[in-house]
Amino acid sequence: MTAIEPNAALQGSTSLDLEPRTSPADAESSLGTQTGREADPSGPSFGSATVADRYASDLTTADLLGQTDGTAQREALAPGAPAAAPIPLPFRTTSGRYRSQAVGFQLELRIDVDGRRPLRRLSGDYFNISGGTVSYFGSWTVDAVTVTTNATHVKIVGTARTTWTTTFTVATVTVPRTPIFQPAGPATIRWSTPSGAIGATYVCGWEAGAFRTVELEQDCESSVTPFAQYNTGALPSGGPARTLSIGTAYAEAGVQMVDTGGANIISTPSNHVWNNASLHHAMEAHFSRRQERPQFKVWLLHAQRHEFTTATSTLLGIMFDQQGLQRQGCATFYERIAGNSPVNQRRQLYTNVHELGHCLNLFHSFHKNRMDPPMPNRPGSLSWMNYPSMYDPGGGAPAGDGPFWAAFPFQFDDLELAHLRHGFRNNVIMGGNPFGKGAASQEGEEFAALLSDTTGLKLRISQAAGDMPVLGTPVVLEIDLTVERPQQVHTREQLHPKFGFVQVAINRPRGDVVVHEPTVRHCAEPDLLACDSGTRLPISAYIGYDATVGQVFEDPGTYRIRAVYAAPNGSLVVSNTATIRVAAPRSTQDDRAADLLLNNQTGMAFALQGTDSPYLVQGTDALRTVADEYREHPGAVYARFALGMNAARSFSTVEPDGSVHVREPDLGRADSLLWDAINMSREDGGLDDLTVYQAGAYLAEAHAKAGDTDGAHGVRAEIRQLAQSKNAPESVVHSLDE
Amino acid sequence: MELAVELGEGFADDEVTVLVDGQEEWHRTGVTTNYSVGIADVARISGEPGALVEVRVRDLAGRREVGEDARLRADIDVSGKKLALGAASQGDIF
């Protein structure tokens, strides 16, 4: 991978041994970038880690004395004094936010392995530092980590999904363990590829116990007394009694809400009724920190009444900002929940925390299926984001307001917590993605949740070639539509995802879902075919490279794939779920071939079935290298196929002076490469059958175009015979007719 | 009497028309659900008990005879293929 990206090894970056040789204090002083915030209620000393997490049996008060003043030794304790049992000292929690120095790429690193409700995740945002400017680059998340703790260090390892394309996806984080009386040590993160190639290393100083910090500006309508705090023990509930404000409720989630103070009192006429337009206008007028760019700053208006309130329904709050850069403002309406009664105080707390949750791009528990991408609803969620009246744990258990409040522990549910702490930055930050887009950090099988199947058509998908692909082997999907009763459907060719009638979603082992975006889109009028019962229309499609995420199958592991076909009558036909397991490289040769094939340029060159483009010369060279020097690798035959297809056609290059240079087809080279690929695929292994037929048909057409009618006829006849011998469906054999 | 027709879930930059006994009473473009409250807009129209209220959006339509309820609600399901027009639920929205 040669693109400049933050996980690759950077020029001048430090190559650190991850087993630190200095004490935590030394490491920190050499870093010199501690920027810890005060008044951070979710900081390490406020954590609630288990005893096993927090205490070290190998550190005692004597150790502490030695470490804190730098002079005291064990021997200095009074000789002959009775040997006191060691008093274990609590360690600082490791979880929190860390930041690297502002050079090149700056990393904001979030570690979530201990402390309050640990999710065992890592995440981070990269910022590009260039001169005096700082710009956001991208985000990454590790959804599951392995944590190893010894007396001196915590080591955290996991595979990241990223907002940009990189092969350096394995994160290894090391943090020194320090007693709570000492400053936190720095976290060191080292990136590597799944095959072990080392990428960049960042040393990040501890910044805060909170995973995010949000500036909260609150204004108040003149007739309203805004909410301050509520004791959760005032009424029965599902959690421990404690006093919660907006700030402490979010601190428990790991989000520091910094009240910026200076609340404006907004004078309104008596019986003033707000609507969404007037709320937005008020935000523009009174939100002093508002800017037309994403920022972790939000405006909350404590107001009296909204126009959506009716005699039988009360609008208690709204995130009204759905224009331009969204989610920067919300409002709570006190008309029917004002006062100091516990019920109303609880309602005020709930509504305020809930509306700010919307600003952080959280949907209601019963609206998760409306998000983009959708998730299953969670009506049984005991969360700030549910409606108590809508609470339904299922299984016949009591539902509704009473059971909700009796069990509600005043918290977000785990998936919401993951979003708040570790969602990609633009999915969380105010002014980032529109409300509902990327509103969950975990994505499910949206096709299954969203779409319904119909009768009369059956869509099956499978890996086109039968073998388990080793890392780097191009992944080709066979998409097979069967018509079970006579009707019109798209032609076989138009079932390729590049026409948009079939869409493919890939759930990757790193935890994300890629809705496949082919690199080339064919905008074509639907070409329909009247089919009889039993007609099969199979087509193969290379899905290894994606216009949005680049290389799709870049990690060993299990991929689950699903497709959906939009039939001419509007039906959406959902396929089975195909499982493809990508094997790790088995040899050094495999590893080198994988590196060549997983290059983004190689992926693009393969998606184009070869190219002369000077912009993809590295990819084309990689294909040549794999074809010639790694003939045993399963990817070699695909490389020959792509190079052969390219040789069989002309290629036009527009020169800098505007003239056009045309490279004519090289039939000799095309014959050599494509017949080689075809012959390597006649038995087990090699290209899948449909790709073999495609190669043969393309070669025949190239011969025909060159005036070699006999040659074309010969190629076509041989391929047709091959297809018949392999019992190819009639539609495929027919496509090979002259 | 005044009727409030809540345009609820599933609206996305839609053109919506509300008719009473076949006469257009309310029309708006760019109607989009705000999922913080599950409401896109509220069409306030006049209609007496027995009148037929119809909501049209995309190629969907929902009809309901006006009864005692002064509030109706229209929701489009997640498939985008069905429009349900019924009585609006009571209670808090937030």
Side-chain angles (χ1 to χ4, degrees), chain A residues 282-498:
Chain A
M283 179 179 73
E284 289 181 327
H286 296 283
F287 184 14
S288 63
R289 286 168 170 75
R290 181 171 184 273
Q291 294 187 44
E292 277 301 312
R293 63 182 176 84
Q295 48 179 4
F296 277 107
K297 297 177 183 179
V298 65
W299 186 68
L300 168 60
L301 176 66
H302 301 274
Q304 196 66 262
R305 181 186 173 110
H306 190 278
E307 68 168 355
F308 285 173
T309 289
T310 67
T312 55
S313 174
T314 306
L315 190 117
L316 296 179
I318 189 169
M319 190 293 291
F320 56 81
D321 186 15
Q322 287 208 143
Q323 302 173 32
L325 300 182
Q326 302 182 8
R327 302 186 282 106
Q328 299 182 78
C330 61
T332 298
F333 300 97
Y334 286 70
E335 180 190 18
R336 294 179 184 168
I337 57 172
N340 292 324
S341 73
V343 169
N344 282 355
Q345 287 287 302
R346 184 177 67 180
R347 207 70 172 132
Q348 291 173 24
L349 167 66
Y350 193 85
T351 306
N352 280 299
V353 173
H354 176 103
E355 298 310 326
L356 288 165
H358 288 317
C359 291
L360 287 157
N361 209 9
L362 290 176
F363 261 32
H364 293 136
S365 306
F366 51 89
H367 278 149
K368 305 292 187 189
N369 65 343
R370 298 282 189 172
M371 302 186 308
D372 176 19
M375 284 188 79
N377 287 335
R378 304 196 289 273
S381 176
L382 290 164
S383 161
W384 293 111
M385 300 314 295
N386 210 342
Y387 277 14
S389 61
M390 301 278 277
Y391 172 65
D392 184 0
D401 278 281
F404 176 84
W405 288 118
F408 178 50
F410 294 87
Q411 65 182 33
F412 293 98
D413 70 24
D414 282 351
L415 291 178
E416 290 162 348
L417 209 58
H419 169 84
L420 293 171
R421 294 176 176 180
H422 304 292
F424 290 154
R425 183 175 183 267
N426 281 338
N427 293 342
V428 182
I429 193 171
M430 294 82 188
N433 283 334
F435 187 37
K437 184 171 177 56
S441 62
Q442 285 198 337
E443 297 158 3
E445 289 186 81
E446 58 267 40
F447 283 3
L450 182 62
L451 306 173
S452 58
D453 205 345
T454 61
T455 56
L457 294 171
K458 193 170 179 182
L459 187 68
R460 284 205 63 78
I461 60 170
S462 59
Q463 184 193 339
D467 293 339
M468 179 193 288
V470 68
L471 187 68
T473 306
V475 173
V476 178
L477 192 69
E478 182 172 326
I479 299 165
D480 191 346
L481 182 71
T482 300
V483 180
E484 294 180 330
R485 59 176 166 74
Q487 60 185 293
Q488 284 198 325
V489 295
H490 294 88
T491 57
R492 199 171 69 89
E493 187 190 16
Q494 289 200 337
L495 297 178
H496 192 290
K498 67 188 177 187

Side-chain angles (χ1 to χ4, degrees), chain A residues 18-20 111 153-156 172-176 186-190:
Chain A
L18 284 184
E19 301 304 323
I111 300 177
H153 292 88
V154 178
K155 185 177 177 184
I156 308 152
T172 302
V173 174
T174 307
V175 189
T188 302
I189 179 168
R190 186 180 70 190

Side-chain angles (χ1 to χ4, degrees), chain A residues 314 316 364 367 370 387, chain B residues 9 34 71 76 92-94:
Chain A
T314 306
L316 296 179
H364 293 136
H367 278 149
R370 298 282 189 172
Y387 277 14
Chain B
E9 298 172 12
N34 178 339
R71 291 172 58 228
I76 302 171
D92 297 335
I93 303 165
F94 56 103

